[in-house]
């Protein structure tokens, strides 16, 4: 019968530790992203949202009868939310796929918006971002995406902390709204916000200002979502969570853009931005104060 030497015992222990570590790491990874029903509920037209892959993905449907929408089960005060989305392909003019955070407080609402504006075949997809603070919006910016977002999934993220709100596409920041309360500029920080998404028809404004109408012969229109990831302070919850500086999204890395992110941000604005309310003199003869804050 073979005997175990101290060396073999040591090797066996190392193997067991490695296996345990691998098992533990896999369990952590599998805990997130969540399945759809863990964090979300259908809010509009249940028949037009289909769960896929055991709830790890969903299909949103728009036809002449209805669009659809869903919302998080909780509201959050600061954190990060991201989803992988594959947008409506082909002739999607007049359709809007929206992914946003909203306090749902009527005329004093806070809101952080991604709105993906459909196109005619071959034209670039436009993403519109908007920010509402204490009920005041009209802060639209539009960027043409530098890839076809209907060909594959891409990750769209809203990071919201005490320092800024950052909208990112595949990790590349396309919009930054800084906290400049010290300059008297409002910033959303008191109202928790839920996470929402909708697919709907908006051909009165969505594509080329409403010039391109939806082609219902191409319907139904489909958008796909997966990898639902929300990390933040759920409300109601521990009173000290939202102000805890140890939350990862409040860490030094996330207080401002890194030099590499700042370069990416400038690249997007120089090469892909097609509209900025800050420079629209017909709407804002005087440049809004938040537009002077930079990044």
């Amino acid at each position: 019968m073979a005997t175990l030497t101290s060396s073999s015992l040591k090797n066996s222990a190392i193997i067991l530790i490695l296996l345990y570590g691998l098992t533990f790491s896999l369990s952590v990874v599998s805990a997130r992203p969540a399945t759809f029903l863990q964090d979300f509920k259908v809010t509009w037209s249940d028949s037009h949202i289909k769960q896929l892959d055991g709830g790890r993905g969903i299909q949103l449907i728009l036809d002449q009868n209805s669009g659809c929408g869903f919302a998080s089960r909780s509201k959050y005060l600061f954190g990060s939310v991201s989803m992988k989305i594959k947008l409506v392909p082909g002739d999607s003019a007049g359709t809007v796929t929206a992914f946003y955070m909203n306090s749902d407080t009527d005329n004093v609402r806070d809101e952080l918006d991604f709105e993906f504006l459909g196109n005619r075949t071959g034209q670039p997809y436009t993403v519109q971002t908007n920010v509402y603070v204490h009920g005041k919006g009209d802060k639209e910016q539009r960027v043409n995406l530098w890839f076809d977002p209907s060909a594959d999934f891409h990750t769209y993220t809203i990071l919201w902390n005490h320092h800024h709100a950052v909208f990112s596409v595949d990790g590349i920041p396309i919009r930054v709204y800084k906290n400049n309360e010290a300059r008297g500029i409002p910033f959303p920080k008191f109202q928790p916000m839920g996470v929402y998404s909708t697919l709907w028809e908006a051909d009165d404004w969505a594509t080329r200002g409403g010039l391109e109408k939806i082609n219902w012969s191409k319907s139904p229109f489909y958008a796909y979502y997966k990898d639902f990831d929300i990390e933040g302070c759920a409300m109601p919850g521990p009173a000290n969570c939202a102000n805890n500086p140890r939350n990862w999204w409040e860490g030094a890395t996330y207080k401002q853009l890194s030099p590499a992110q700042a370069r990416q941000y400038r690249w997007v604005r120089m090469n892909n931005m097609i509209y900025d309310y800050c420079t629209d003199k017909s709407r804002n003869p005087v440049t809004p104060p938040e537009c002077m804050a930079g990044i």
Side-chain angles (χ1 to χ4, degrees), residues 96-208:
V96 175
T97 307
F99 162 44
Y100 59 103
M101 301 187 73
N102 189 323
S103 63
D104 194 24
T105 46
D106 297 327
N107 60 350
V108 294
R109 80 182 187 274
D110 294 332
E111 187 169 310
L112 304 170
D113 292 340
F114 273 116
E115 292 178 304
F116 304 96
L117 312 182
N119 63 4
R120 288 289 180 223
T121 302
Q123 298 300 311
Y125 240 101
T126 298
V127 55
Q128 174 172 284
T129 57
N130 200 357
V131 176
Y132 280 79
V133 185
H134 306 167
K136 184 172 180 3
D138 299 327
K139 300 177 178 66
E140 300 93 343
Q141 293 182 353
R142 291 180 190 151
V143 168
N144 280 343
L145 293 172
W146 51 95
F147 54 86
D148 180 358
S150 68
D152 203 351
F153 287 93
H154 292 267
T155 303
Y156 304 93
T157 304
I158 300 171
L159 172 76
W160 172 39
N161 61 27
H162 282 81
H163 307 282
H164 52 196
V166 181
F167 300 77
S168 299
V169 177
D170 291 334
I172 297 173
I174 67 165
R175 174 82 181 265
V176 178
Y177 188 86
K178 292 184 67 174
N179 183 345
N180 278 290
E181 288 181 307
R183 302 184 188 182
I185 300 168
F187 184 78
K189 72 173 195 178
F190 299 111
Q191 299 189 99
M193 291 192 271
V195 183
Y196 297 83
S197 190
T198 55
L199 174 59
W200 54 295
E201 176 266 322
D203 68 1
D204 58 331
W205 66 270
T207 306
R208 294 184 60 215

Side-chain angles (χ1 to χ4, degrees), residues 59-79:
Q59 178 193 61
L60 272 61
I61 304 168
L62 167 65
D63 57 27
Q64 284 183 281
N65 295 315
S66 181
C68 56
F70 63 90
S72 59
R73 296 181 180 274
S74 300
K75 289 185 177 181
Y76 302 86
L77 191 55
F78 302 114

Side-chain angles (χ1 to χ4, degrees), residues 31-82:
R32 281 290 182 179
T35 60
F36 175 66
L37 289 179
Q38 279 180 270
D39 284 344
F40 296 96
K41 60 186 177 183
V42 176
T43 56
W44 173 31
S45 191
D46 184 84
S47 64
H48 283 59
I49 295 183
K50 295 184 178 180
Q51 294 190 59
L52 307 172
D53 192 23
R56 287 182 286 272
I58 57 170
Q59 178 193 61
L60 272 61
I61 304 168
L62 167 65
D63 57 27
Q64 284 183 281
N65 295 315
S66 181
C68 56
F70 63 90
S72 59
R73 296 181 180 274
S74 300
K75 289 185 177 181
Y76 302 86
L77 191 55
F78 302 114
S80 174
V81 56
S82 70

